[in-house]
Amino acid sequence: MSTQWWRDAVIYQIYPRSFADSDGDGLGDLPGITSRLEHLVELGADAVWLSPFYPSPHADAGYDVADYRDVDPIFGKLADFDALLARAHQLGLRVIVDLVPNHTSDEHPWFKAAVAAGPGSRERERYVFRDEPNDWESVFGGSAWSQVADGQWYLHLFDVRQPDLNWDNPEVREEFENVLRFWLDRGVDGFRVDVAHGLAKKWEAPSGKGTPQPPGEPSLPLAPPAASINPDERPPMWDQEGVHEIYRSWRAVADGYPGERILVAEAWVDPLERLARYVRPDEMHQAFNFAFLLSPWLAGPLREVIIDSLATNDAVGAPTTWVLSNHDVIRHATRFGYPPGAKPPPGIGVDDPQPDEALGLRRARAATMLMLALPGVAYLYQGEELGLPEHTTLPDAVRQDPTWLRSANAVRGRDGSRVPIPWTPGGPSYGFGPGERTWLPQPPSWDRYALDAQRGAAGSTYELYREALRQRRAYRPGAGPMEWWDEAGTDAVAFRNGELLVVSNLGAEPVRLPAGARVLLASAELDDPTQVPTDVTVWALTS
Ligand code: GLC
């Protein structure tokens, strides 16, 4: 029987390096994750998405895969993955794994063979080798082309150690279908598809159109290309028509398995009509809604993106997803600590203007409650349930994001959102692992964010998330449909969804609730239960 679980699920992203470390080497691992899965059940999530744990030289934190069918020894063994999956399923959690098809690592046997075999070889046909580079640029800075010893150039839209695969080659297609089957056979519930808008390229593109679209960081200095429906105006490496037949073939593979296995697109595509093409009935199930993530904390833009997102996805029969944080962007508790519309620098350092931490958290809690009340699927990023901010004073010397090096230290990058999360106040590494070591240093002030400091504490962010997820299960706003409640005024985002009245107040004046409204949950303490103050979201029942 079809449950359509993926239409209104809450999916929690685990970044394996930074979730829980079982062996004290300072890097998270799969046994660490398994030992902490109850946390997700207590929180109320339905599924987990695991960022990559495959063998990798970690030039891009594991998004450079050297073997698509194994586990990196730093994270454990394949048997540890099986144990994780079995435990998750026992706990009623589904598990989605990350698939990185746009590029491999330069240590993948295919790339090593391609370099060794030389120009004109079948091995080089799996990648993009040319005698001359063009003007395409890497998303992480610099040219997208690097030269090998015999003089040929290979394409890498990301790091020099992430050579792009040639998706015109049937061998590449066949290999990835087999990789899908490998994990589906093990029992995974789906795939988050990395850089899903990048696989097909327009080779005959004239030069001068090479500016890449940033992969995630909302404030990367690279300007995103003008959004365009017209294929001739889109950059030749992004959102080309050829990607869709690949996802149709993957959908057929996934549908061949019982239990509704899903595909989720990570596609930085504008406008939303273009993104909806990835979730047509015979393609993927979901696509991350980065337009929502990128919206400033302003009522008008938020309402607009909600309207557009629902309309474009409804038109193709797909659920809308909502996401505020992930491992590529500045955590929303920090983003919202800057004035609305102000762009924090791309990766915040100690000399940069620092956010207002309390204001950021207040708005982040309101934004999360707004997100969790919308129809569709919600994605949470590990640590946001603790109200965790970005590490904004990370010493530059410890940065590992390839962006930092490739931009000649102009772009600090994404490490600040990837710091190991705190479980216990005090103690070595705040309970992340048995020792002091953490692959990125944790800030000194994180005791108060630790899970154990918040569990059972009235008003804590963790208890707010738990209660919101509990009520989400009870009232099912994920199922929709919603209806705008205009009486709240233009500075609010307010709607009815099923039995819930949801009011987010982004204006300076309080918003009055309708007479007789009973507040179920509020993102901050209310002095007056008939009014929603500034930067607060309320869920209420009305008779
Ligand atoms: C995606 C990942 C990001 C990675 C990039 C290249 O955007 O989320 O972390 O750097 O792809 O694989």
Side-chain angles (χ1 to χ4, degrees):
M1 195 197 76
S2 158
T3 62
Q4 306 258 302
W5 69 272
W6 45 275
R7 288 190 173 270
D8 62 356
V10 174
I11 305 179
Y12 182 101
Q13 178 188 359
I14 288 183
Y15 193 67
R17 296 175 145 248
S18 301
F19 188 68
D21 174 20
S22 73
D23 58 11
D25 66 356
L27 261 165
D29 47 46
L30 299 189
I33 295 172
T34 306
S35 74
R36 292 277 192 189
L37 283 175
E38 276 100 342
H39 167 59
L40 274 66
V41 178
E42 187 182 270
L43 178 65
D46 301 302
V48 185
W49 149 36
L50 293 170
S51 279
F53 48 75
Y54 314 107
S56 165
H58 295 272
D60 184 21
Y63 280 94
D64 46 324
V65 178
D67 180 352
Y68 289 86
R69 294 178 178 81
D70 206 347
V71 171
D72 193 303
I74 66 171
F75 294 131
K77 303 189 197 58
L78 208 43
D80 294 318
F81 177 80
D82 292 338
L84 186 165
L85 188 62
R87 179 71 184 135
H89 284 166
Q90 199 178 46
L91 291 169
L93 296 165
R94 303 195 195 239
V95 177
I96 295 169
V97 296
D98 220 308
L99 185 76
V100 188
N102 181 67
H103 42 263
T104 70
S105 158
D106 63 346
E107 289 188 16
H108 190 284
W110 272 10
F111 191 72
K112 291 201 230 168
V115 172
S121 60
R122 178 173 166 236
E123 287 82 352
R124 286 210 175 173
E125 275 304 301
R126 295 166 177 152
Y127 293 89
V128 185
F129 280 87
R130 296 282 186 269
D131 293 332
E132 296 291 336
N134 65 11
D135 64 348
W136 294 9
E137 286 169 16
S138 155
V139 170
F140 293 157
S143 169
W145 298 89
S146 289
Q147 206 166 16
V148 293
D150 54 48
Q152 275 210 317
W153 301 77
Y154 68 92
L155 177 71
H156 53 87
L157 288 181
F158 293 87
D159 191 61
V160 55
R161 304 199 58 189
Q162 291 169 300
D164 278 52
L165 285 162
N166 170 17
W167 277 89
D168 293 338
N169 183 340
E171 207 187 336
V172 171
R173 293 183 185 230
E174 192 188 320
E175 169 65 2
F176 273 84
E177 288 185 18
N178 288 333
V179 169
L180 290 177
R181 289 194 187 93
F182 176 85
W183 293 103
L184 290 167
D185 286 340
R186 298 197 99 79
V188 305
D189 299 285
F191 301 90
R192 175 267 189 192
V193 180
D194 189 67
V195 194
H197 57 316
L199 277 52
K201 277 96 175 170
K202 189 158 124 193
W203 301 120
E204 71 281 10
S207 70
K209 288 195 168 184
T211 312
Q213 182 163 359
E217 181 58 74
S219 45
L220 275 179
L222 305 163
S228 179
I229 300 275
N230 180 349
D232 294 334
E233 288 169 11
R234 283 197 304 277
M237 67 290 273
W238 305 127
D239 193 28
Q240 297 298 312
E241 203 48 37
V243 294
H244 296 288
E245 65 180 274
I246 300 171
Y247 303 135
R248 286 193 191 102
S249 75
W250 292 6
R251 178 64 180 255
V253 172
D255 283 352
Y257 285 78
E260 295 172 86
R261 319 287 179 103
I262 69 162
L263 300 166
V264 187
E266 187 231 14
W268 292 84
V269 168
D270 261 346
L272 283 160
E273 285 89 332
R274 294 290 311 175
L275 185 62
R277 302 175 85 245
Y278 289 73
V279 288
R280 289 176 290 191
D282 57 349
E283 296 193 39
M284 302 216 202
H285 297 74
Q286 306 170 354
F288 291 121
N289 186 346
F290 295 127
F292 178 72
L293 182 152
L294 294 172
S295 173
W297 183 241
L298 293 169
L302 274 170
R303 270 199 309 268
E304 200 176 313
V305 73
I306 293 168
I307 292 171
D308 280 4
S309 309
L310 291 169
T312 49
N313 287 308
D314 284 353
V316 292
T320 295
T321 69
W322 310 101
V323 58
L324 288 165
S325 283
N326 66 34
H327 66 292
D328 288 329
V329 302
I330 293 172
R331 284 179 176 275
H332 66 289
T334 296
R335 273 195 333 262
F336 294 145
Y338 291 90
K343 284 205 169 194
I348 303 164
V350 68
D351 303 330
D352 290 317
Q354 295 292 308
D356 179 334
E357 196 169 330
L359 179 66
L361 182 57
R362 180 178 173 90
R363 289 179 173 159
R365 290 165 55 121
T368 298
M369 272 188 63
L370 167 64
M371 167 173 95
L372 291 175
L374 290 166
V377 179
Y379 275 87
L380 306 178
Y381 177 47
Q382 66 178 39
E384 69 166 87
E385 76 279 25
L386 309 174
L388 210 62
E390 188 88 355
H391 190 336
T392 56
T393 55
L394 205 57
D396 288 340
V398 304
R399 292 189 187 279
Q400 304 207 12
D401 188 340
T403 305
W404 175 238
L405 282 184
R406 285 197 59 84
S407 69
N409 300 359
V411 180
R412 287 201 160 92
R414 304 162 292 177
D415 293 314
S417 65
R418 300 175 175 180
V419 174
I421 62 171
W423 296 90
T424 54
S429 66
Y430 301 112
F432 166 66
E436 292 285 352
R437 287 169 67 186
T438 56
W439 70 282
L440 288 172
Q442 299 161 304
S445 59
W446 274 13
D447 295 273
R448 65 179 182 278
Y449 291 109
L451 176 70
D452 290 350
Q454 296 193 42
R455 185 188 275 118
S460 73
T461 302
Y462 176 63
E463 291 300 339
L464 177 72
Y465 268 72
R466 265 185 85 188
E467 185 58 16
L469 291 181
R470 202 182 61 75
Q471 294 193 6
R472 187 180 152 98
R473 281 187 186 215
Y475 293 100
R476 311 239 9 236
M482 61 176 265
E483 221 179 280
W484 293 99
W485 187 60
D486 294 330
E487 282 162 56
T490 53
D491 285 343
V493 178
F495 52 89
R496 293 181 185 279
N497 189 352
E499 286 173 77
L500 293 182
L501 172 70
V502 179
V503 181
S504 293
N505 183 7
L506 294 88
E509 300 301 322
V511 172
R512 181 162 292 284
L513 290 167
R518 183 162 70 82
V519 174
L520 282 176
L521 189 63
S523 64
E525 215 176 314
L526 302 181
D527 295 333
D528 173 353
T530 67
Q531 301 206 337
V532 184
T534 302
D535 292 329
V536 170
T537 297
V538 159
W539 294 1
L541 295 179
T542 53
S543 42

